[in-house]
Amino acid sequence: MISESLSGRRIAITGSTGFLGTALVERLLRSAPDCQLVLIVRPGRRGAARRVERDILRNDAFDTLRDQLGTDGFTEMTNRRITAVAGDVTTDGLGLDPEGRAALASCDTVIHSAAAVSFDSPLDQAVEVNLLGPVRLVETLAELGVAPHLVAVSTCYVAGSRRGAAPEEPVDSSPFFVDVDWRTEVDAARRIRRETESASRTPERLVGFRSGARRELGAAGTPSLAAKTEQLRSRWVDDRMAESGVARASSLGFPDAYAYTKALGEIATAESKGDVPVSVVRPAIIESALAEPSPGWIRGFRMAEPVIISYARGLLKEFPGVPEGTIDVIPVDLVVAAICAVAARGPLRPDDGPDIVQVASSSVNPLRYGKLVDLVREWFTEHPIYDDLGQPIPVPQWSFPGRGRVKKQLQRAGSTLEYAQKVFDVLPVRGRQAEVGARLEEQRELVQRAEGYVDLYGAYAECEAVYGMDRLLALWESLSSEDQNSFCFDPRIIDWDIYAPEIHLPSVVKAGRVPMKPPARGGESRPARLRRQVLAPERHLAAFDLENTLIASNVVASYAWLGSRHLSGRDRVRFVARLVAEAPALLSLDRKDRSDFLRHFYRRYDGASVDQITTDAKEKFSELILAKSFPAAIRRVRMHRELGHRTLLITGALDFVVEPFRPLFDDIVCAELGVVDGSYDGQLTSVPPTGEARYQALVDHAEAHELDLRESVAYADSASDLPMLEAVGFPVAVNPETRLAGIARKRGWLVEDFQKSPGMNRSALPLAPRRTVGTSR
C-alpha cells in the first residue's frame, strides 16, 4: 500500500512552489496522512515559512483539504506536518543553516523537483539549477553522512530530438548521445556569462541601452531612465545567454537548454551520488490535472497554453509541426501519483537495471498533433475569445508549414507594425489617438511573442519520439487495485476527446483570464470599476498635473499669450515668427529633459515687470477656464475634495500662471522665478517639480501631512510624469501621449479622456487680443 508505505516517513521536497511541487505537497498531505514534509524553499524577504504559506498553501489546489478540515483545522494540520527550510539549489551546501541541515538529515526520502523549466532560460541559470542542483543535493547529503532515497524528477526530453523509440535508459548509454564532459559545460556556461556581462558594459552598448530607455520613457527623469537602462542591459544579457543555451543544446541534438541541462544533470548526479540511492522519474509535457486535486487544476502557463491562447486570439495563423507526430502530454496528477509510487517502492537493487521511470503517453495512448489542433479549433469555434470591441475572434485553419515559413510570416508582420509604431511615435497625438499607437505596440509585442513560441515550441510540435514506459507499466501492474484507484498513473485511462475539450481547455482560458463572452450590457465596465476605486472615500491624496491634464495648454502657450499681450503690428508678427521657428528645437529639448527645457524657456521672462505679469495673468485665468480647461477634470478635483481627499496641484508651470487655481486645491507645488527690483530675473528659485523632482515633492508632501501614497491618486499626461504615477497606488493617465498610453495599457491603469468644452478655441499658439497701447517684453 502506497499510503501505508509513506505513512510516518519524513520527506524533503525541493521545488514545492512550482506546478508539480505544489500538486505533490497536496497529494502527500491528503493521501499519506502521517508523513512529515520538509519543504526546502528560497526564503525571499519574509522567510521560508511565510513563503510556504503564501506561495503554496494559499493555492486553490488545497481547497478540498481546506473544506474538509476547516480553516483552523487546515492551519493546525499544516503547522504540525510541514517544516519550512530556507535553501537554494544554486548555492553550495544548498545554503542551509544548521537547523535546515538537521531537518534534511532527518529525512527518509528526498524528492527533487526544483528546476528551471522555462525552455528559454539563460544558459548559466539552467546549468546552475538543472545540472548542478541535484549534484549539490547529493553532495550535501554526503556531507551530512546520510543516504536517503532520492527521487529526482527529470524529463523525457533528455532523449534529445530523435525519431522513434526512446527507452527508459541512462542518457549516456544511448547511441545518439554526444559524449561531453558536464564539468566542462559548467565552466563554459559561467565563462559565457562573464563575457556577456562584460560585453553589455561597453560604452557603445550602454549608450544604446540609454537610448532605448529614453525611447520608451521619454523625459522621465534620471533615476527612472537609469533604472530602465539597467533593466534593458540585464535583459540583453539574459537574451544573449538564452540564445547561447539554445545554440549549445541544438549543437548536441537537444531541443532547448532545459532538456540539455536535465540530461547532463542525470549524468552528473549518477557520477556524484556516492551511497545515495537515486531513482529518476521522467515526465513528458506536464499539463492540467485529469482529476486531482480537481479536474483541470493548473498553476501558471505550461508549454502548450501560450500557443493555444495565441491561436485562439487569431495571432498564430500558422504553426509548424508534423500532424502525424505526437504531442506527449501527461496530466500532472498522473505524474504525482507515479512519483509517490516510486517513493513508496524505494530504490531498485543494482542488478534490477537502471532505476528510471518515464511518465508519458506516446507509446500507449498517443495524442496526434493534428488531432489536438482539430480539438482546439473545434472548441474555440464553439467558445470563441472576444476582442476589445466585443466581437468573437475566428480561429484559423492551420496547414502545418515548416518553422522557417511561419517565422518569415511573423517577421513581416512585426516589421510592418514596428514601422507603423515609429511613425505614430513622432506624431503629436494624445488621448484616443495615442491609444492607437499603444495598440500598435501591443500587437507588435504579441507578434514577437508568437515568433518566440515558434522558436521555443516548434521542435516539440515536430517531435516524433516515442517514449518507452516498460518500468512505469510494470510498477502499475504491481500495485493493488486499491492503490491503482488511489494513485492512478496509467496513461491509458486518458480519453483525449474528453480531456482536451472538457477539462484542459476550460482551465487554460480560466488561467489566461481571456474574455470568453462579450461585455455584459449594463454591467460595470473596467474603466468604471477603476474609476470607482479612484474615487473611494478611503483615498488620502489626489495629486494633479496641470498641462494637458487640467487644461489644454503649456508653458509655451502661456508665454505666447502673455508675451503678445501688449504687442501690435510688426512686433507681434516677429514675435509669432520667432516662436514658430523655435518650435522644433523647443520640442526636442523638452523630450530630452523637461527640467532643462523649463530653465531654458523661463529665461525669456528676464526683466518682465512683476506687477504687469500679475495683472495680465489674472486676465489669462478667464481665458484658461473658459477656453482651455477640461470641465471633467475640474469636476474631478472637486469630487476628490468633496470626498475629503487632500488635493495637490504639482506642476512645472510658474506660480503666476497657476495662482488662479488655488481655490480648487488644498496645496500647490509649482515653479517660481527670482525677483530683482520689481522684475523677474529669469532664474528659477529651486529645481522645477518635474520627473524625479516631482516624485520627491509628492513624497515630501505626503510625509508632511501623514498621508499614505499607497492609498493615493495621481493624474498626469506624460511618460515624464512616470515617477509620480508609479509612486501612488492609483495612477490615472489623462489624455496620455503615446508612450504613457502604452505604459498605462500594459499596467492596467485607468485612462481618462478629458476634453475641452465644445466650440472653444483650439489654436495651437494662443495669442492675446491686440492692444494698441503699451509694449512689454
Side-chain angles (χ1 to χ4, degrees):
M1 295 288 291
I2 293 175
S3 292
E4 292 179 0
S5 176
L6 296 176
S7 178
R9 287 200 200 181
R10 195 165 171 82
I11 304 172
I13 302 175
T14 68
S16 56
T17 59
F19 174 44
L20 177 61
T22 298
L24 182 60
V25 170
E26 190 277 337
R27 175 62 73 88
L28 289 170
L29 289 177
R30 178 165 49 87
S31 301
D34 297 322
C35 71
Q36 301 286 314
L37 302 183
V38 175
L39 305 185
I40 302 173
V41 298
R42 285 179 293 181
R45 290 180 295 179
R46 298 187 178 182
R50 174 63 176 156
R51 182 151 192 241
V52 166
E53 191 274 331
R54 182 193 64 195
D55 293 348
I56 302 176
L57 299 179
R58 288 186 186 178
N59 190 273
D60 59 356
F62 298 89
D63 285 353
T64 299
L65 270 174
R66 228 183 317 266
D67 291 343
Q68 291 174 352
L69 302 174
T71 301
D72 292 341
F74 178 77
T75 300
E76 185 279 328
M77 183 271 293
T78 55
N79 288 341
R80 174 170 44 86
R81 295 181 58 192
I82 292 178
T83 300
V85 171
D88 188 345
V89 299
T90 65
T91 303
D92 289 342
L94 305 185
L96 300 174
D97 61 19
E99 291 184 4
R101 290 170 66 86
L104 178 60
S106 68
C107 292
D108 311 290
T109 304
V110 177
I111 301 175
H112 177 59
S113 68
V117 297
S118 175
F119 296 155
D120 60 345
S121 293
L123 172 61
D124 60 320
Q125 183 185 105
V127 164
E128 296 294 338
V129 177
N130 299 337
L131 197 166
L132 291 177
V135 173
R136 293 188 180 100
L137 180 54
V138 294
E139 288 177 347
T140 302
L141 294 172
E143 291 173 8
L144 296 172
V146 295
H149 178 206
L150 172 61
V151 181
V153 180
S154 184
T155 174
C156 282
Y157 292 92
V158 297
S161 302
R162 68 164 76 174
R163 293 183 174 91
E168 297 162 305
E169 64 182 8
V171 172
D172 49 1
S173 69
S174 168
F176 302 103
F177 177 71
V178 179
D179 188 20
V180 293
D181 179 68
W182 62 269
R183 292 179 180 84
T184 302
E185 297 298 302
V186 170
D187 292 341
R190 290 172 173 172
R191 184 183 67 253
I192 294 171
R193 164 65 73 169
R194 291 192 299 271
E195 293 172 350
T196 306
E197 288 283 356
S198 296
S200 74
R201 289 171 166 82
T202 62
E204 297 79 11
R205 284 211 169 90
L206 291 175
V207 167
F209 300 141
R210 179 76 172 181
S211 298
R214 189 173 292 280
R215 281 195 302 273
E216 188 168 339
L217 300 183
T222 300
S224 294
L225 288 172
K228 174 56 70 172
T229 299
E230 177 58 18
Q231 182 188 76
L232 293 176
R233 188 201 66 80
S234 179
R235 187 183 301 163
W236 182 86
V237 171
D238 284 345
D239 288 346
R240 301 294 82 71
M241 293 303 299
E243 290 171 3
S244 297
V246 171
R248 183 55 176 154
S250 178
S251 73
L252 295 175
F254 294 98
D256 51 44
Y258 172 65
Y260 152 65
T261 52
K262 275 292 189 179
L264 294 186
E266 284 192 25
I267 295 171
T269 304
E271 290 184 14
S272 309
K273 67 179 182 178
D275 295 329
V276 176
V278 178
S279 300
V280 176
V281 176
R282 295 176 181 164
I285 301 169
I286 307 176
E287 289 293 350
S288 63
L290 180 65
E292 299 184 62
S294 60
W297 177 81
I298 196 169
R299 178 168 190 172
F301 266 19
R302 315 318 307 160
M303 188 199 103
E305 284 69 58
V307 177
I308 289 173
I309 293 296
S310 295
Y311 168 75
R313 287 185 183 277
L315 179 62
L316 284 176
K317 306 298 184 183
E318 295 281 11
F319 201 76
V322 179
E324 301 83 4
T326 58
I327 293 293
D328 209 313
V329 170
I330 193 74
V332 64
D333 44 343
L334 273 65
V335 179
V336 167
I339 291 172
C340 290
V342 170
R345 179 207 67 190
L348 294 179
R349 295 175 301 180
D351 56 356
D352 289 333
D355 197 350
I356 298 171
V357 172
Q358 295 185 159
V359 192
S361 58
S362 55
S363 63
V364 294
N365 187 11
L367 172 60
R368 303 297 177 191
Y369 181 48
K371 178 180 178 64
L372 175 61
V373 171
D374 289 342
L375 290 171
V376 171
R377 182 175 60 251
E378 290 169 6
W379 195 84
F380 279 107
T381 298
E382 186 176 349
H383 308 91
I385 290 177
Y386 284 77
D387 61 21
D388 292 341
L389 300 178
Q391 298 299 310
I393 300 174
V395 289
Q397 177 83 36
W398 282 356
S399 60
F400 306 105
R403 266 186 280 177
R405 175 179 155 189
V406 177
K407 285 197 66 175
K408 286 180 179 178
Q409 291 175 347
L410 291 170
Q411 286 168 352
R412 283 196 297 269
S415 297
T416 302
L417 288 168
E418 183 177 9
Y419 177 77
Q421 185 187 348
K422 286 181 178 179
V423 171
F424 216 87
D425 283 347
V426 300
L427 298 177
V429 294
R430 290 185 170 275
R432 292 173 182 171
Q433 291 81 15
E435 182 70 14
V436 176
R439 289 175 184 272
L440 285 173
E441 181 184 2
E442 185 178 74
Q443 287 298 312
R444 183 175 62 85
E445 290 178 352
L446 288 173
V447 169
Q448 289 176 337
R449 198 178 306 159
E451 189 177 343
Y453 296 155
V454 172
D455 287 332
L456 291 175
Y457 307 135
Y460 289 86
E462 295 170 342
C463 179
E464 296 182 80
V466 178
Y467 300 106
M469 293 178 289
D470 294 343
R471 290 191 183 84
L472 179 81
L473 296 179
L475 178 60
W476 172 253
E477 296 299 334
S478 71
L479 300 182
S480 66
S481 58
E482 185 175 348
D483 272 346
Q484 289 184 346
N485 288 330
S486 301
F487 294 88
C488 179
F489 53 84
D490 183 358
R492 293 170 294 193
I493 70 163
I494 306 169
D495 185 337
W496 300 115
D497 290 319
I498 294 176
Y499 173 77
E502 297 183 18
I503 297 175
H504 184 61
L505 292 176
S507 76
V508 167
V509 297
K510 180 181 178 182
R513 298 180 180 180
V514 293
M516 298 303 295
K517 56 184 179 181
R521 293 184 178 179
E524 186 178 41
S525 66
R526 188 173 180 279
R529 185 179 73 253
L530 293 173
R531 200 171 291 119
R532 176 168 49 81
Q533 295 171 355
V534 161
L535 293 170
E538 58 268 25
R539 299 294 157 255
H540 290 191
L541 171 70
F544 288 80
D545 182 25
L546 177 65
E547 298 168 357
N548 296 306
T549 301
L550 294 176
I551 58 173
S553 183
N554 53 54
V555 298
V556 176
S558 298
Y559 173 77
W561 195 97
L562 292 168
S564 64
R565 184 80 177 86
H566 301 283
L567 295 179
S568 61
R570 294 179 179 178
D571 290 339
R572 190 181 183 93
V573 172
R574 283 195 295 268
F575 176 83
V576 172
R578 188 167 60 247
L579 268 186
V580 171
E582 289 181 294
L586 292 174
L587 180 60
S588 176
L589 181 59
D590 188 22
R591 286 179 172 176
K592 288 178 180 177
D593 191 293
R594 180 69 173 171
S595 294
D596 288 347
F597 163 75
L598 292 178
R599 287 190 182 92
H600 168 77
F601 193 80
Y602 286 159
R603 293 192 186 108
R604 297 162 190 260
Y605 287 96
D606 182 19
S609 167
V610 172
D611 291 340
Q612 186 68 65
I613 290 288
T614 301
T615 300
D616 291 344
K618 288 180 180 178
E619 185 176 338
K620 169 71 173 170
F621 175 64
S622 299
E623 193 268 347
L624 281 172
I625 292 296
L626 293 176
K628 294 292 186 179
S629 69
F630 303 132
I634 302 300
R635 287 195 299 270
R636 182 64 58 85
V637 179
R638 290 173 175 156
M639 291 173 70
H640 279 291
R641 295 198 74 174
E642 290 170 0
L643 288 166
H645 307 158
R646 194 172 189 92
T647 55
L648 170 68
L649 176 62
I650 183 167
T651 173
L654 291 166
D655 53 350
F656 51 75
V657 174
V658 303
E659 182 63 28
F661 286 90
R662 283 200 182 275
L664 278 173
F665 292 92
D666 294 304
D667 304 283
I668 292 179
V669 176
C670 61
E672 296 181 6
L673 293 174
V675 177
V676 177
D677 298 329
S679 297
Y680 289 113
D681 63 5
Q683 303 295 315
L684 289 170
T685 60
S686 61
V687 177
T690 62
E692 66 271 25
R694 180 171 296 187
Y695 158 81
Q696 192 58 53
L698 178 65
V699 170
D700 293 343
H701 184 84
E703 290 179 352
H705 296 279
E706 298 182 348
L707 304 172
D708 187 352
L709 288 179
R710 293 172 298 181
E711 290 294 335
S712 298
V713 187
Y715 295 80
D717 70 295
S718 170
S720 65
D721 302 309
L722 204 56
M724 180 177 78
L725 291 169
E726 291 177 330
V728 299
F730 299 88
V732 182
V734 179
N735 304 332
E737 43 79 37
T738 304
R739 287 192 185 99
L740 184 60
I743 293 169
R745 186 175 178 85
K746 287 178 185 176
R747 301 187 185 182
W749 293 351
L750 175 62
V751 176
E752 295 286 20
D753 185 31
F754 294 155
Q755 297 293 318
K756 292 188 295 184
S757 297
M760 288 297 139
N761 176 35
R762 297 178 181 272
S763 62
L765 191 64
L767 301 177
R770 291 187 179 185
R771 291 290 182 93
T772 59
V773 294
T775 58
S776 174
R777 289 182 62 90

